[in-house]
Amino acid sequence: MAWLDAIGDLNWWAVLVATASTFLVGFVFYASGALGKRWAGLVGLTEEEMSSSAGAGPRFAATGVASLLTAILLGALILATGVDGLWEGLLFGAVIGLVFRAGAHVIHNGFAHLPTQLTVIDGVHDVIALAVMGAILGVWQ
């Protein structure tokens, strides 16, 4: 299994930077402006709830672990498939984000009868986050 063997060859600094990048992308994408407010309304959060730090520690920890695991697997797949450089990494990450992450939103949100706008917002976020992750890992192997 080439992808599993590639985990030992990962540049762990690149994995950590790629992991951290998801927090930056999420902040830019959700924290302010019309998109963040629209997302909050779609999930039923008030502005006060959005700005509250109550329970933030466990949410950020879980997000960090999920992002780290995503960066490890994406990095291993990038190495195993020979993806190289900024543009190849960006495209590979975007495709993985589109198929697996955005695709999961389509499936789960569809059956949960959640608004299509929510699916689009979260799906686009995931495509961008994994594209950035892929670009970092593609360049910094």
Side-chain angles (χ1 to χ4, degrees):
M1 285 190 253
W3 69 270
L4 194 54
D5 293 335
I7 290 175
D9 296 328
L10 288 173
N11 177 334
W12 291 99
W13 287 111
V15 168
L16 292 175
V17 171
T19 299
S21 75
T22 62
F23 287 96
L24 179 61
V25 170
F27 176 77
V28 169
F29 203 80
Y30 291 110
S32 62
L35 193 58
K37 290 178 183 177
R38 182 67 187 138
W39 178 85
L42 290 167
V43 298
L45 293 175
T46 65
E47 196 167 318
E48 293 78 31
E49 291 169 323
M50 283 287 291
S51 61
S52 172
S53 62
R59 283 193 299 274
F60 277 101
T63 299
V65 169
S67 296
L68 175 63
L69 293 173
T70 300
I72 290 169
L73 181 59
L74 185 60
L77 291 173
I78 283 172
L79 287 176
T81 57
V83 169
D84 186 37
L86 176 77
W87 296 111
E88 284 186 28
L90 185 117
L91 179 60
F92 189 79
V95 169
I96 296 294
L98 179 65
V99 172
F100 292 105
R101 299 274 294 266
H105 288 296
V106 169
I107 294 165
H108 296 283
N109 291 0
F111 281 102
H113 301 277
L114 294 173
T116 301
Q117 286 182 1
L118 179 61
T119 302
V120 170
I121 290 170
D122 286 337
V124 169
H125 163 265
D126 286 349
V127 170
I128 293 170
L130 267 75
V132 170
M133 217 184 234
I136 292 166
L137 294 164
V139 166
W140 198 9
Q141 294 189 36

